[in-house]
Amino acid sequence: MHSDSPPRRSHPNEFEHITSTGNDLVKLMRSLERKRSRKEAGLFIAEGARHAEEALHYGWEPVSALTSQAMLERESAKPLLRRLADQGARVVTTNERVLGAIARKDNPQTLITAFRQRSVALDDLKVDGARRWVALYEVRDPGNLGTILRTADATGVDGVILIGTCCDPFSPETVRASMGSVFAVPFVETSTGAFWAWVAAADAQVTAASMRGAVSTESHSYSERAVVLMGN
């Protein structure tokens, strides 16, 4: 893979450096804005040191990381860059112009990391004891999905189930809006039929959220294993 200088990885101050948006790694990172490219590569991007820390904490696999020279000069950033490299990531320094081209915005984060996608199968969700899940039917707005993942994380939900044709949980907008919760909350993509079969097998109670609902959330009685169903 082309770079503007020979790769050197023995120390964070000696990572390879690239400056061209035509570099193969940069082109790959830029392509991850598109769902098709993410699916083909099995990768997605996360912007910022906080997201990288969260991802590593929950065992997600980093593949590559682009960082600014300014971040490299901060002593507090070096342990994170070392951890990324130790976990197998190709860590590269670059300039703000390249980072902005990947993030598609001005004033980008000083670290952009590509992680390998992973998913949880519906049958892998734990159904023992008291459990709470959120099920989303054909949710199309990636920002809303990220916000729901963040709320689910904050409230201790055991998993988020995406039913039917939902937006991509690995889109940059979803990852951004989740503020790191995309790495913490198990989420499943499934069909309507498989969802209802799983509900029956798990002996779970499903409560549909509706603006026209006759029962308030405060007065509703939930079972030991409960699913709150929301959607389009």
Side-chain angles (χ1 to χ4, degrees), residues 158-207:
D158 292 291
V160 174
I161 304 167
L162 308 177
I163 306 169
T165 308
C166 289
C167 56
D168 186 4
F170 295 113
S171 73
E173 295 86 354
T174 299
V175 176
R176 224 177 266 137
S178 80
M179 297 181 66
S181 292
V182 69
F183 302 111
V185 179
F187 56 87
V188 173
E189 297 177 271
T190 191
S191 66
T192 303
F195 168 72
W196 287 113
W198 174 83
V199 165
D203 191 26
Q205 173 204 59
V206 177
T207 300

Side-chain angles (χ1 to χ4, degrees), residues 25-45 104 114-117 168 170-172:
L25 176 60
V26 176
K27 288 193 287 187
L28 171 63
M29 298 278 276
R30 292 183 72 180
S31 75
L32 298 179
E33 180 189 35
R34 301 186 297 273
K35 182 177 180 178
R36 179 177 178 180
S37 296
R38 290 194 297 273
K39 185 174 182 180
E40 289 175 352
L43 304 173
F44 68 104
I45 61 171
R104 310 282 180 176
F115 287 94
R116 198 168 301 284
Q117 295 184 16
D168 186 4
F170 295 113
S171 73

Side-chain angles (χ1 to χ4, degrees), residues 15 28 37 49 54 82 87 93 96-97 117 120 123 131 133 155 158 174 188 192 198 214 218 223:
F15 289 127
L28 171 63
S37 296
E54 286 289 301
R82 289 192 185 102
Q87 292 298 316
T93 62
E96 188 171 303
R97 181 176 64 88
Q117 295 184 16
V120 177
D123 289 340
R131 297 286 173 180
W133 303 277
T155 56
D158 292 291
T174 299
V188 173
T192 303
W198 174 83
E218 291 82 3
S223 69

